[in-house]
């Protein structure tokens, strides 16, 4: 397996001498931002709490913007995910740096898919982003609740070697198979502990990890209670995105075969439930007749007591 020592190395030199410079120092991931846990900490309103990160991969040094407010640019052009070349100018907010890249770079490699399985909640998190921010803050990619979780706890970085977990100097740490780690390359089947959450890591091809790039299937009806229980554990709610919109104008909802449902279909269901061979005049009328006596008794109840 490729070791960190054989991967390309880099050094970021600040163009403004008032800004700090940074070397990778043997780490696979170097995080840039205002947060104290970042390897390159920059001040000023133009830099976000977690702004960007640089990742050493077999095919070079890659830059990933972490959803920063003012963006990241390379040689004057906005960049979200880009491989850096020796001598490129990289800008985080208003802070400019020149990068020096050394070492041998290989050909482009396929980023492996990764997922985390929580056996307690019965839930699997498929990591669809190249970099996943884990923490308690609302804008985290994987938001976990609880006092043991820091606002920005760790990063999970997918690469061609597996999944890199990089702790952001969290208060209670990040553990791999029982040992606290600043950074660790995971290759599959390890136990990752983030606060009280315990995940088993799965690494594989895209289709083996749950088709990471595709939409996730909606849960079956039998899974609703399990999903509800998982909500309280993860401190977040399943997205309503992708749910079918309510028909406009009060139209009947679509049936599974795509045709519009109507009252006759409903009447047939009621007729079957009542043991009738045909819907009859109307399912609504059948229900009305069925419960008419009960309504009459309920209406007459107080009067009957008075008469008694």
């Amino acid at each position: 397996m490729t070791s960190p020592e054989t991967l390309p190395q880099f050094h970021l030199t600040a163009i403004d001498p008032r800004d700090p410079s940074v070397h990778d120092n043997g780490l696979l991931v170097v995080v840039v931002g205002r947060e104290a846990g970042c390897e390159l900490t920059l001040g000023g309103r133009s830099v976000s709490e977690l702004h960007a990160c640089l990742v050493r991969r077999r095919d070079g040094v890659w830059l990933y913007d972490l959803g920063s407010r003012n963006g990241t640019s390379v040689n004057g052009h906005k960049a979200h995910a880009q491989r850096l070349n020796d001598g490129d100018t990289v800008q985080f907010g208003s802070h400019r740096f020149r990068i020096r890249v050394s070492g041998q770079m290989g050909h482009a490699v396929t980023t492996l898919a990764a997922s985390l399985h929580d056996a307690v909640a019965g839930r699997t998190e498929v990591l669809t982003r190249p970099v996943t921010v884990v923490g308690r803050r609302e804008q985290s990619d994987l938001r976990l609740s609880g006092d043991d979780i820091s606002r920005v706890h760790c990063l999970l970085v997918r690469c061609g070697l597996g999944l890199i977990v990089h702790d952001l100097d969290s208060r209670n740490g990040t553990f791999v198979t029982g040992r606290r780690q600043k950074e660790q390359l995971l290759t599959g089947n390890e136990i990752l502990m983030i606060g009280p959450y315990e995940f088993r890591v799965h690494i594989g091809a895209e289709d083996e990890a749950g088709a990471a790039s595709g939409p996730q299937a909606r849960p079956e009806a039998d899974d609703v209670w399990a999903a509800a229980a998982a909500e309280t554990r993860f401190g977040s709610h399943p997205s309503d995105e992708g749910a079918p919109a309510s028909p406009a104008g009060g139209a009947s909802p679509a049936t599974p075969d795509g045709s519009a449902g109507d009252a006759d279909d409903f009447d047939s269901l009621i007729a079957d439930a009542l043991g009738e061979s045909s819907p009859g005049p109307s399912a609504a009328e059948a229900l009305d007749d069925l419960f008419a006596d009960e309504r009459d008794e309920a209406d007459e109840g107080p009067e009957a007591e008075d008469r008694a």
Side-chain angles (χ1 to χ4, degrees):
M1 178 179 292
T2 302
S3 64
E5 291 77 15
T6 63
L7 296 173
Q9 300 175 336
F10 70 87
H11 186 273
L12 275 178
T13 303
I15 294 177
D16 186 335
R18 294 172 296 180
D19 285 334
S21 298
V22 67
H23 190 273
D24 61 70
N25 288 324
L27 291 172
L28 296 173
V29 179
V30 170
V31 185
V32 182
R34 284 199 329 266
E35 178 69 22
C38 297
E39 283 69 42
L40 177 56
T41 304
L42 301 174
R45 297 175 60 87
S46 68
V47 178
S48 296
E49 183 179 31
L50 292 181
H51 198 102
C53 69
L54 291 89
V55 181
R56 298 168 58 207
R57 298 169 38 133
R58 285 184 295 179
D59 55 352
V61 177
W62 280 75
L63 171 71
Y64 297 98
D65 185 87
L66 298 178
S68 62
R69 182 175 61 253
N70 293 305
T72 303
S73 64
V74 177
N75 300 326
H77 301 284
K78 287 283 187 182
H80 297 284
Q82 182 171 329
R83 186 169 69 175
L84 300 175
N85 296 312
D86 183 49
D88 281 346
T89 298
V90 185
Q91 184 167 339
F92 310 104
S94 60
H95 301 264
R96 298 172 66 230
F97 296 81
R98 183 160 286 111
I99 188 168
R100 305 300 303 186
V101 179
S102 61
Q104 187 174 3
M105 289 182 286
H107 298 292
V109 295
T110 301
T111 298
L112 297 177
S115 61
L116 306 177
H117 180 67
D118 184 344
V120 175
R123 175 169 174 167
T124 297
E125 288 289 336
V126 179
L127 305 179
T128 60
R129 300 172 181 267
V131 182
T132 298
V133 179
V134 182
R136 203 178 65 243
R137 68 175 187 169
E138 185 175 352
Q139 58 267 49
S140 298
D141 302 318
L142 177 55
R143 188 183 181 193
L144 303 177
S145 61
D147 294 337
D148 293 336
I149 304 296
S150 297
R151 290 188 68 257
V152 285
H153 199 103
C154 65
L155 296 184
L156 302 175
V157 183
R158 294 167 52 210
C159 65
L161 299 172
L163 180 70
I164 305 167
V165 56
H166 182 91
D167 188 80
L168 295 168
D169 285 353
S170 61
R171 184 174 62 253
N172 294 300
T174 302
F175 294 77
V176 177
T177 316
R179 298 184 63 181
R180 186 167 184 166
Q181 302 285 355
K182 168 61 180 177
E183 181 178 87
Q184 182 71 34
L185 174 65
L186 309 179
T187 57
N189 211 36
E190 296 93 344
I191 299 297
L192 173 64
M193 292 190 65
I194 305 173
Y197 300 90
E198 184 174 300
F199 302 99
R200 183 169 293 278
V201 177
H202 176 80
I203 308 293
E206 291 287 337
D207 55 348
E208 293 176 353
S213 60
Q216 296 186 33
R218 295 178 62 82
E220 299 292 337
D222 291 343
D223 296 333
V224 171
W225 296 113
E231 289 176 26
T232 59
R233 176 168 171 78
F234 281 79
S236 60
H237 297 280
S239 171
D240 290 330
E241 186 177 343
S246 299
S252 300
T255 57
D257 64 359
S259 61
D262 53 28
D264 290 340
D265 294 333
F266 178 68
D267 291 344
S268 298
L269 291 174
I270 297 300
D272 291 341
L274 296 176
E276 301 290 342
S277 59
S278 62
S282 164
E285 293 177 6
L287 288 175
D288 190 70
D289 293 340
L290 183 63
F291 297 110
D293 292 340
E294 295 185 12
R295 288 200 301 270
D296 290 342
E297 291 176 5
D299 293 340
E300 294 173 4
E303 295 180 6
E305 291 178 2
D306 292 341
R307 287 195 298 270

